[in-house]
Amino acid sequence: MSKHRSIAFKIFVLTSLVLVAFALLLYVTLYFILPSFYLQNKSADLNQGITRLLETFPQEDWTEAVKRLDDFSLRYNASLFVQDSSGKWVYPPYLTKGSSFPAQELETTTELEGVHSTTIIISDPENPGAHWPEAPKMISHTNLPLPGYSYTLSVRASLQPIDEAMRMLLRLLPYMALMILVIAVLGALVYTRLIARPLIGISQVAKRLAQLDFSERSRHDSRDEIGDISRSLNELSMNLQHAMQELTEANAQLKDDIQRKEEEEALRREFMDMISHELKTPITAVSGQLEAMLHNVGPYWDRDKYLAQSHHILKEMEKLVYEILDISRLENHRFQPSMAAVNVSALIREAAEQIQYVCELKGIGLEADLAPGLWVTGDKRLLSKAVSNVMSNAVYYTRSGEQIRIALHADAGHVRLSVLNTGAYIEPSEIPKLFKPFYRIEKSRSRTTGGSGLGLYIIKTILNIHQSEYSLSNTGEGVLFSVRWKNDN
């Protein structure tokens, strides 16, 4: 902002002009009104003094009368003259017999309670026909009878002091103008500092606020309108900061929701692609075999053999379809598991017994160390499905001659299940990917080297529903899958 457009500069200039104008107005008022005011008050005071003098004038003691006249002259700065009936001056004593009032020119004449009062200008004694411009004005009262005497009193009061004062005012004008200017500038600076400084501070806070910077607060806390503006601005800043924070959080949440929706949509498309791929291959195989058998092509005349193969492929497809249906049901937001107390010791024992026969056929050792009477809260059917998948994976990926070790025991208020298949190893970078749907380390996706890739994904989904802790990791002996549930005992 330009310096000449700032509020501080405007206040300074305006205040300076107001102070200078006020001082000049006061000076002009004194110069033109003071003489008239002085004349009116001087005349009124003198009239009142003369009235009191005549009312209390000593009538039999001339010596006391002279003393009273001297006191009056000193008090009112006036000249008194007393004449007898023959025109002889009896007061003051220094007047000669032939003395008289100098020539006068009448300016104003007033009557106050019978007292004849005039304001005159004394003529130049060397040039009676011309006025004396520098001669002072006077108030004159003549022919006032003194009580008790055959004397008349004349009174003159000079207005010279006010004339001299006016001349001094004119001579002091340059110095007074300088003083007025200095005082006006200093006063304007103080006033500007008192008024403009808090406004400038509030303006700076408002600019920061306009840039959404809420770190600055207005510190002006006076009990006036500027203080009210300062406090209102601080309140606005806090409210706006709170609103912006809520808006930012809502925006972040919206971004997270959008990103999650996009990820879910991408997963859905990927899931559908994988389903299509998983179903396309076996359907093509079964269709080809059936068509070949219908036309007795080559070895397909042996229908019993290839019907058995087609039946096996369809059973695998049926299993895949059921797994897909399970996933769809688990991921439905309306799905509610049937939570109840589950004897997990008995559930693990049943799952271990189911794989014992397969382990014997493959030459895999099976060890089970299961603590009895351990209970957890969960959906028994879902937990059975998850445990069954864990056991099946262990059997599927354990070579002949290796072992599967199952352990179930209480662990600091939790129930811990661990399944170790010895001799196995998974690349650490592959472990997080195994919990994705249809992901397999073996890329050929042959059913002879692996399953559908949904087993661990179903396990993860079920355990997440139960808010369980689980992990898949490599150990010195093999691959270890572990789960922790809260113990309900």
Side-chain angles (χ1 to χ4, degrees):
M1 179 183 292
S2 173
K3 180 179 179 181
H4 296 85
R5 295 175 59 189
S6 68
I7 188 171
F9 179 78
K10 293 179 180 179
I11 292 177
F12 173 78
V13 172
L14 181 61
T15 305
S16 300
L17 293 177
V18 169
L19 291 176
V20 169
F22 178 76
L24 291 177
L25 179 62
L26 180 61
Y27 180 86
V28 171
T29 301
L30 288 175
Y31 185 80
F32 287 102
I33 297 179
L34 184 59
S36 176
F37 181 79
Y38 177 82
L39 176 61
Q40 292 178 3
N41 282 270
K42 180 72 173 178
S43 177
D45 291 344
L46 188 61
N47 290 340
Q48 292 177 2
I50 293 173
T51 302
R52 286 194 300 269
L53 175 65
L54 296 178
E55 290 176 351
T56 61
F57 195 79
Q59 300 183 9
E60 297 179 356
D61 188 353
W62 180 247
T63 302
E64 180 65 23
V66 171
K67 184 178 179 182
R68 185 69 61 83
L69 293 174
D70 290 339
D71 292 339
F72 182 91
S73 179
L74 291 175
R75 181 175 181 181
Y76 291 96
N77 192 24
S79 299
L80 302 180
F81 305 92
V82 180
Q83 288 179 301
D84 59 13
S85 58
S86 63
K88 179 181 178 181
W89 297 104
V90 297
Y91 182 88
Y94 56 81
L95 287 178
T96 62
K97 184 177 181 180
S99 299
S100 60
F101 281 126
Q104 304 169 359
E105 180 176 334
L106 182 65
E107 285 200 352
T108 61
T109 301
T110 59
E111 294 289 340
L112 179 61
E113 298 181 358
V115 177
H116 182 68
S117 174
T118 62
T119 302
I120 63 172
I121 296 179
I122 299 177
S123 300
D124 188 346
E126 298 181 358
N127 188 7
H131 294 307
W132 189 7
E134 299 297 327
K137 293 180 181 180
M138 285 188 177
I139 300 175
S140 176
H141 299 277
T142 58
N143 302 322
L144 302 176
L146 289 176
Y149 302 92
S150 59
Y151 299 153
T152 58
L153 174 68
S154 297
V155 181
R156 282 186 180 179
S158 176
L159 299 178
Q160 183 179 3
I162 189 62
D163 293 333
E164 292 178 350
M166 299 310 296
R167 286 194 293 271
M168 290 301 104
L169 280 177
L170 286 175
R171 293 179 182 179
L172 286 175
L173 179 59
Y175 306 100
M176 293 184 65
L178 180 61
M179 291 180 62
I180 290 171
L181 182 61
V182 172
I183 294 174
V185 170
L186 293 178
L189 286 175
V190 173
Y191 183 76
T192 300
R193 184 177 181 85
L194 292 176
I195 301 299
R197 187 175 182 181
L199 292 178
I200 292 173
I202 293 173
S203 175
Q204 292 174 351
V205 174
K207 288 179 180 179
R208 287 179 174 268
L209 187 60
Q211 297 173 357
L212 302 182
D213 180 1
F214 308 106
S215 60
E216 193 73 20
R217 291 286 186 272
S218 176
R219 295 176 175 83
H220 189 74
D221 196 28
S222 63
R223 298 298 177 182
D224 54 18
E225 288 78 3
I226 296 179
D228 291 340
I229 294 175
S230 175
R231 288 185 289 274
S232 298
L233 186 64
N234 288 338
E235 184 177 357
L236 174 63
S237 177
M238 289 186 292
N239 292 339
L240 187 58
Q241 182 179 11
H242 182 66
M244 287 296 297
Q245 184 176 358
E246 290 183 347
L247 184 61
T248 301
E249 293 175 356
N251 188 40
Q253 181 64 37
L254 180 60
K255 288 182 178 179
D256 291 341
D257 292 343
I258 293 175
Q259 184 177 1
R260 186 169 60 254
K261 290 292 184 181
E262 291 176 349
E263 291 175 354
E264 291 176 354
E265 182 64 22
L267 288 175
R268 187 189 67 81
R269 289 195 298 269
E270 182 181 358
F271 192 74
M272 294 302 297
D273 291 342
M274 296 302 295
I275 291 175
S276 301
H277 178 74
E278 291 294 328
L279 293 178
K280 179 181 178 181
T281 301
I283 289 175
T284 301
V286 171
S287 177
Q289 288 180 348
L290 292 176
E291 186 176 357
M293 284 186 288
L294 287 173
H295 295 87
N296 292 322
V297 176
Y300 288 97
W301 60 268
D302 188 358
R303 296 185 177 184
D304 292 339
K305 173 183 176 182
Y306 290 102
L307 281 174
Q309 289 182 359
S310 296
H311 180 263
H312 177 73
I313 294 173
L314 290 176
K315 294 297 290 183
E316 290 293 327
M317 290 176 60
E318 181 184 24
K319 179 181 177 182
L320 175 62
V321 169
Y322 280 123
E323 288 179 340
I324 294 172
L325 291 175
D326 285 338
I327 293 173
S328 177
R329 185 166 58 89
L330 292 174
E331 291 183 341
N332 193 320
H333 66 279
R334 291 189 296 270
F335 171 73
Q336 294 293 332
S338 301
M339 307 299 282
V342 178
N343 188 338
V344 71
S345 298
L347 188 145
I348 301 300
R349 187 178 297 108
E350 292 176 3
E353 291 173 354
Q354 291 176 1
I355 66 170
Q356 184 174 4
Y357 177 72
V358 180
C359 289
E360 292 175 355
L361 290 178
K362 294 184 63 175
I364 300 172
L366 178 62
E367 296 180 4
D369 180 15
L370 308 178
L374 297 179
W375 293 76
V376 299
T377 299
D379 188 311
K380 183 176 181 180
R381 190 183 66 81
L382 295 180
L383 290 178
S384 177
K385 175 70 174 177
V387 170
S388 176
N389 282 2
V390 171
M391 301 295 183
S392 298
N393 281 346
V395 172
Y396 204 94
Y397 293 101
T398 301
R399 297 190 302 270
S400 178
E402 299 291 342
Q403 290 184 334
I404 296 176
R405 300 172 187 169
I406 305 172
L408 180 70
H409 56 85
D411 178 19
H414 292 78
V415 175
R416 181 182 180 87
L417 168 67
S418 60
V419 179
L420 173 68
N421 49 322
T422 64
Y425 177 80
I426 303 174
E427 287 292 335
S429 60
E430 297 286 343
I431 292 177
K433 302 175 183 178
L434 291 176
F435 290 94
K436 295 182 178 180
F438 295 110
Y439 186 83
R440 288 176 53 186
I441 298 176
E442 201 281 311
K443 306 303 180 184
S444 67
R445 308 198 63 82
S446 172
R447 285 291 184 268
T448 60
T449 57
S452 64
L454 293 176
L456 284 176
Y457 181 70
I458 293 175
I459 294 171
K460 179 189 78 169
T461 304
I462 294 175
L463 294 180
N464 285 340
I465 291 174
H466 289 80
Q467 299 180 348
S468 305
E469 300 177 10
Y470 58 91
S471 64
L472 180 65
S473 60
N474 293 305
T475 67
E477 295 181 278
V479 175
L480 175 66
F481 187 92
S482 61
V483 186
R484 289 183 69 197
W485 295 283
K486 186 175 180 181
N487 192 351
D488 285 349
N489 290 352

